[in-house]
Amino acid sequence: MPLGILLGIAKVLVTRLDLLNSIMAGAAPVFMVRNMGLDARTTWIIFGVTALLAFVLQHMFRIGKIVLGIWGCIAVGILCYLFRDSSPYNARLMAAGIGMGIAAAMNAVFWMMED
């Protein structure tokens, strides 16, 4: 049952890249303020407001789609680099590059289908 829920969430995030880009954009300020001693409620509010703002900007302005799409590609590259922690440096860079390329292609296809 929990595996089915997780797979369902993953399917929604992959098919709706605007949501995924918004979530990744919402995580950025949370990482910046994590050592400031804020309580969990304030951190969740910061995350929610930023993710909502990113979602709205993507659907209102073309530049929002581009900027948040680039941010999503960079975030995927960072996660791919960190995921292969025990691999050699070149393999980690290759994984990050491939992940960023796949994310860029998926973003381009998603926004072409939306418009």
Side-chain angles (χ1 to χ4, degrees):
M1 176 80 173
L3 181 63
I5 292 171
L6 290 176
L7 289 175
I9 291 171
K11 180 185 173 198
V12 168
L13 290 176
V14 169
T15 57
R16 294 296 312 230
L17 286 174
D18 54 345
L19 290 173
L20 188 59
N21 289 339
S22 298
I23 289 170
M24 288 185 193
V30 172
F31 284 121
M32 287 189 260
V33 300
R34 71 179 183 265
N35 293 328
M36 292 179 61
L38 300 174
D39 61 340
R41 181 177 179 209
T42 306
T43 305
W44 278 106
I45 290 171
I46 291 170
F47 172 77
V49 167
T50 307
L52 182 64
L53 182 65
F55 186 79
V56 169
L57 286 175
Q58 285 183 86
H59 286 279
M60 288 184 68
F61 304 107
R62 183 174 302 267
I63 191 71
K65 295 174 188 176
I66 295 168
V67 170
L68 289 163
I70 290 170
W71 171 249
C73 292
I74 291 170
V76 166
I78 291 170
L79 291 174
C80 288
Y81 181 83
L82 295 175
F83 181 70
R84 299 185 51 105
D85 194 26
S86 61
S87 298
Y89 182 71
N90 290 339
R92 293 171 77 181
L93 287 179
M94 177 126 8
I98 291 170
M100 289 174 72
I102 291 170
M106 288 176 67
N107 268 301
V109 169
F110 176 77
W111 287 114
M112 282 183 203
M113 297 296 215
E114 285 289 313
D115 290 336

